Amino acid sequence: MDKKNYREKLISTATRLFAERGLNGVSIRELSTAAGVSISMISYYFEGKEGLYSSVLQEQFSCFEYMATIKERDSGPMDKIEEYIRWSIQRHRDYPFLLRYYTSELTNPTRYFSSIVRPTLEKALHILIDIIKTGIDEKLFRGGLNPEDTALAMAGMVNYYFLSTLATEEFINHSPERDEELIRHYMDIFTRGILS
Amino acid sequence: MDKKNYREKLISTATRLFAERGLNGVSIRELSTAAGVSISMISYYFEGKEGLYSSVLQEQFSCFEYMATIKERDSGPMDKIEEYIRWSIQRHRDYPFLLRYYTSELTNPTRYFSSIVRPTLEKALHILIDIIKTGIDEKLFRGGLNPEDTALAMAGMVNYYFLSTLATEEFINHSPERDEELIRHYMDIFTRGILS
DNA sequence: TACTATAAATCAAACGTTCGTTATGATGAT
DNA sequence: ATCATCATAACGAACGTTTGATTTATAGTA
């Protein structure tokens, strides 16, 4: 039989369950059963339950690094904007989990938030601003446009949709087709407001 | 001695503690001690812990009814927009709690979300849309403006700020002066994008 | 006013359950 | 021989709930 590594299995199961019900909403007994792994593996691979939670967190937020690469892509501002929206939507699949983190049940949530989440959100915003500035320079976007305002409105807009659909059937069951539909929807809004 | 009623004391304490650490992050022992009340009062006044949580929720969301009255106010669209922003900011003092609710630890969160939160958010959005439409009709706002897009961008924008400052010192310690500063800031952004 | 009976509000203690952790010994793969 | 994994059991701590007794408030009666 193949050598198994249940570390990943634990992480993926924990990601789903913690996203659904939070750190204190899931017992490690239920978690290990759902993962099909012995309960003692949690202490074996991680430093207990909070250690597992921290590992999940770290993995969740590492995905933001991809966002930073969009700026360097060899494509026009319009394509980059679309890429940002696409990335946002895929990221928002994990939104319940991220929201949980914002109001974390960890022993010292504020420190984590300040050191990871906040800079990440600000970085994302500045990348958007840069893309829009480039669009204005290249005279693709309206000259009168305020890059900071536009980026904020855009990031907020995408955000707001997910906040309002969170935890609904619509959110949980969104398909790739629905994703594309959403991307077109936001690109339409963006286009209406921004093209020169 | 006066007749006491610890119901309100329990609700106010629970509101603060649940906002900080969530339903499963606070034990009813700690909660009752913090309220200076016997633990059995929770089952006496509410139907257990979840009942108390539900009561807090209901009170939190009832504030949204005020939002609906803004539309009927006897003032211009610009004033109404400012009122909306002011209301949003004050509401966001309770943001950690509301966010918790979005990812609720209740037994059946989706039902609550669908029946309370979603309609509330949509109602708020439609009130904004109406205000903006009126502004366009009265030729105060740009004619080319898309009311739906603008309302969404605006609601999202205000939202995004709080998401990014949540759980930071900056958020927790914001003062009335800081509130006014924020209101002016958002009104500036709005004005730049919307006036005719 | 004073006494009493009833109901409401409050409490401390106990109950049974579940929690996260750790220890143990065994099994199969490398 | 080492490593990954298992099932199981045990542990003390913490959990939410319930019980039964006690205090307080209210109302009725004299």
Side-chain angles (χ1 to χ4, degrees):
Chain A
M1 194 188 279
D2 283 354
K3 173 183 174 182
K4 300 177 209 166
N5 190 338
Y6 285 162
R7 193 180 187 278
E8 290 171 23
K9 185 70 187 164
L10 277 172
I11 289 226
S12 65
T13 306
T15 301
R16 181 170 53 82
L17 289 180
F18 284 147
E20 285 169 5
R21 299 203 303 278
L23 173 64
N24 294 315
V26 190
S27 72
I28 58 171
R29 278 183 177 78
E30 178 188 1
L31 203 159
S32 56
T33 302
V37 166
S38 172
I39 189 175
S40 40
M41 288 293 95
I42 292 174
S43 283
Y44 181 77
Y45 278 122
F46 310 93
E47 290 175 6
K49 192 190 188 186
E50 285 219 0
L52 173 56
Y53 191 74
S54 291
S55 296
V56 175
L57 273 184
Q58 204 159 336
E59 198 180 70
Q60 286 291 307
F61 280 101
S62 71
C63 69
F64 278 92
E65 289 161 14
Y66 171 80
M67 170 67 214
T69 69
I70 292 181
K71 195 170 62 170
E72 319 298 337
R73 209 67 50 78
D74 186 24
S75 57
M78 212 61 186
D79 290 334
K80 286 178 179 174
I81 295 286
E82 183 173 330
E83 184 116 17
Y84 169 83
I85 295 176
R86 187 181 307 273
W87 173 84
S88 286
I89 287 175
Q90 285 164 359
R91 267 316 84 200
H92 281 86
R93 289 187 193 280
D94 304 316
Y95 217 66
F97 188 82
L98 298 182
L99 276 188
R100 260 185 209 295
Y101 185 67
Y102 291 149
T103 54
S104 179
E105 297 157 83
L106 278 175
T107 308
N108 192 344
T110 307
R111 214 194 68 234
Y112 278 102
F113 189 92
S114 303
S115 63
I116 305 183
V117 189
R118 184 94 195 266
T120 294
L121 286 174
E122 286 185 350
K123 190 159 68 179
L125 204 56
H126 277 94
I127 290 171
L128 261 186
I129 293 173
D130 281 349
I131 295 175
I132 292 170
K133 277 181 179 168
T134 307
I136 295 173
D137 288 346
E138 297 177 0
K139 303 211 184 303
L140 284 167
F141 302 163
R142 279 201 352 252
L145 223 54
N146 181 315
E148 286 80 11
D149 297 356
T150 310
L152 184 58
M154 182 174 203
M157 183 177 74
V158 180
N159 202 74
Y160 195 85
Y161 170 80
F162 285 99
L163 209 57
S164 74
T165 56
L166 208 64
T168 62
E169 292 302 318
E170 181 178 343
F171 175 76
I172 292 163
N173 299 326
H174 62 178
S175 61
E177 289 76 21
R178 175 74 180 135
D179 281 1
E180 291 305 317
E181 203 177 297
L182 265 178
I183 292 170
R184 278 199 304 278
H185 176 234
Y186 284 119
M187 284 304 284
D188 281 351
I189 296 182
F190 182 70
T191 305
R192 279 199 292 273
I194 221 168
L195 284 192
S196 58
Chain B
M1 194 191 279
D2 284 354
K3 175 183 174 181
K4 299 178 208 162
N5 191 335
Y6 286 161
R7 194 179 188 281
E8 289 171 23
K9 186 70 188 165
L10 277 173
I11 290 229
S12 64
T13 307
T15 302
R16 181 170 53 82
L17 289 180
F18 284 148
E20 285 169 4
R21 301 203 301 280
L23 174 64
N24 293 314
V26 189
S27 73
I28 58 172
R29 274 183 180 77
E30 178 187 2
L31 202 159
S32 57
T33 301
V37 165
S38 170
I39 190 175
S40 40
M41 288 293 93
I42 291 173
S43 283
Y44 180 76
Y45 279 121
F46 313 91
E47 290 175 6
K49 192 191 189 186
E50 286 217 1
L52 172 57
Y53 191 75
S54 291
S55 297
V56 175
L57 273 184
Q58 204 159 335
E59 198 179 72
Q60 287 290 310
F61 280 102
S62 72
C63 68
F64 277 92
E65 288 161 15
Y66 170 82
M67 170 67 214
T69 70
I70 292 181
K71 194 170 64 172
E72 320 299 337
R73 210 65 51 78
D74 186 23
S75 58
M78 212 63 184
D79 290 334
K80 286 179 179 173
I81 295 285
E82 184 173 329
E83 184 117 17
Y84 169 83
I85 295 176
R86 187 182 309 273
W87 173 84
S88 285
I89 287 176
Q90 285 163 358
R91 268 315 84 200
H92 280 86
R93 290 187 193 279
D94 304 315
Y95 217 67
F97 188 82
L98 298 182
L99 276 187
R100 261 184 208 297
Y101 186 68
Y102 291 147
T103 55
S104 179
E105 298 156 81
L106 279 174
T107 307
N108 193 344
T110 307
R111 214 195 69 236
Y112 278 101
F113 189 92
S114 303
S115 63
I116 305 183
V117 189
R118 183 95 194 265
T120 294
L121 286 174
E122 285 185 351
K123 191 160 68 179
L125 203 57
H126 277 93
I127 288 171
L128 261 186
I129 292 174
D130 281 350
I131 295 174
I132 292 169
K133 277 181 178 167
T134 308
I136 296 173
D137 288 347
E138 297 178 359
K139 304 212 185 299
L140 285 167
F141 301 162
R142 280 202 349 253
L145 224 54
N146 181 314
E148 285 80 11
D149 296 357
T150 310
L152 184 58
M154 181 174 203
M157 182 178 75
V158 180
N159 201 75
Y160 195 84
Y161 171 79
F162 285 99
L163 209 57
S164 74
T165 57
L166 208 64
T168 62
E169 292 300 317
E170 180 177 345
F171 174 76
I172 292 163
N173 299 326
H174 64 175
S175 61
E177 290 77 23
R178 175 73 179 137
D179 282 1
E180 292 305 317
E181 202 177 298
L182 265 178
I183 292 170
R184 279 198 303 278
H185 177 235
Y186 285 119
M187 283 305 285
D188 282 351
I189 295 182
F190 182 70
T191 306
R192 278 199 292 272
I194 221 169
L195 283 192
S196 57

